[in-house]
Amino acid sequence: GVVMSREDVTQHVEQDCVEKEIECPFAKYKCVGLVKRKNLENHLDEKRMEHLELKVDTMQGFIFEQKEKISEQNTTIETMSCEIKSLKEEVTILQITTAIRLVWRITKIPESGFSNITQKQFQVAGYNLEFCIFSDFCNLLIGVRPQIGKNYDKLKWPFKAEFVTHLSSQSKPGNIKKFKSEVFEWKRERFNSGPFVSPFPIATFPKR
């Protein structure tokens, strides 16, 4: 007989031995059959349709899994988009804008005594404010006071602001007086204290 080394025997069994049972090439598609190497061609021929069906089933399962993953990713993206939109809204509402311009035309100023001339409510970056113009014995005053509002838990506290006011005379063109208020801040409690809060003066102009 032929004398073979142990290494040659191992190589022969793993690569050449026709009696060695081996795994079917379609095992990755769930063919569970073990077949002798010498019978592999017969096995592939006999199981051709079954192998195709196994391959189709496996591919369909893979496609279904991918669709589920895509669906989950789309749901995640949609959720994240909603969260981003919500965050953007919060950022927008937290940023106090200075892009607000109020223009009043005052046709008659009381000569003496205290008088409330006009008032108007505005919302500035989510904060409800009431601007008012009134006069005392000597001056024309412009003030602002907080008003009760909704969703104040989403706003940034304390509320800080400063105002720049210009007063121009129609009878004396070019005669413009400017007043810049100090930076002031209000805590949330002040905005919940009702409409009877005294106005914070942001400008004072002599009547004459």
Side-chain angles (χ1 to χ4, degrees):
V2 178
V3 178
M4 301 177 64
S5 67
R6 181 173 297 177
E7 291 180 358
D8 290 338
V9 171
T10 301
Q11 182 177 355
H12 170 75
V13 170
E14 294 299 326
Q15 298 180 10
D16 303 318
C17 181
V18 295
E19 298 296 329
K20 168 74 175 178
E21 286 191 335
I22 59 175
E23 195 175 59
C24 173
F26 284 84
K28 60 182 178 181
Y29 301 116
K30 300 182 180 179
C31 177
V32 296
L34 288 176
V35 59
K36 289 185 177 182
R37 184 175 278 114
K38 66 181 180 181
N39 298 328
L40 178 60
E41 289 186 9
N42 290 336
H43 170 78
L44 294 175
D45 186 58
E46 292 173 0
K47 301 290 184 179
R48 181 176 298 174
M49 291 303 301
E50 185 177 332
H51 285 160
L52 289 175
E53 290 174 358
L54 288 173
K55 186 174 182 179
V56 169
D57 289 344
T58 301
M59 295 302 294
Q60 286 179 338
F62 174 78
I63 292 171
F64 179 77
E65 288 178 2
Q66 294 304 308
K67 284 184 176 179
E68 282 197 330
K69 288 182 180 180
I70 291 172
S71 178
E72 290 176 0
Q73 289 175 351
N74 288 338
T75 301
T76 302
I77 291 172
E78 186 176 348
T79 302
M80 291 178 68
S81 297
C82 291
E83 291 177 355
I84 290 171
K85 182 180 178 181
S86 177
L87 287 172
K88 284 183 177 179
E89 289 175 353
E90 287 192 26
V91 169
T92 300
I93 205 170
L94 287 176
Q95 292 176 343
I96 302 175
T97 177
T98 56
I100 179 171
R101 185 177 182 182
L102 312 180
V103 179
W104 271 302
R105 182 180 181 184
I106 306 171
T107 57
K108 186 176 180 180
I109 299 175
E111 292 295 329
S112 62
F114 183 88
S115 176
N116 185 22
I117 299 174
T118 184
Q119 58 192 37
K120 183 73 173 178
Q121 290 189 9
F122 289 91
Q123 190 176 79
V124 181
Y127 302 87
N128 292 333
L129 302 174
E130 182 182 71
F131 294 86
C132 51
I133 299 177
F134 53 97
S135 67
D136 60 13
F137 290 95
C138 302
N139 301 306
L140 182 67
L141 302 100
I142 301 176
V144 60
R145 58 186 167 194
Q147 300 291 300
I148 294 175
K150 296 180 180 180
N151 300 321
Y152 275 1
D153 55 322
K154 293 183 179 180
L155 299 177
K156 185 177 180 179
W157 299 101
F159 169 77
K160 297 182 180 181
E162 66 177 2
F163 297 89
V164 178
T165 309
H166 296 83
L167 182 66
S168 61
S169 173
Q170 291 183 333
S171 60
K172 298 178 182 179
N175 183 15
I176 301 175
K177 297 178 180 179
K178 178 179 177 182
F179 181 89
K180 184 176 182 180
S181 74
E182 296 180 359
V183 177
F184 66 94
E185 60 181 65
W186 284 328
K187 294 183 179 179
R188 177 177 175 178
E189 294 75 19
R190 191 171 178 87
F191 277 78
N192 293 331
S193 56
F196 303 108
V197 179
S198 298
F200 180 90
I202 60 176
T204 303
F205 301 101
K207 288 183 180 179
R208 298 184 184 277

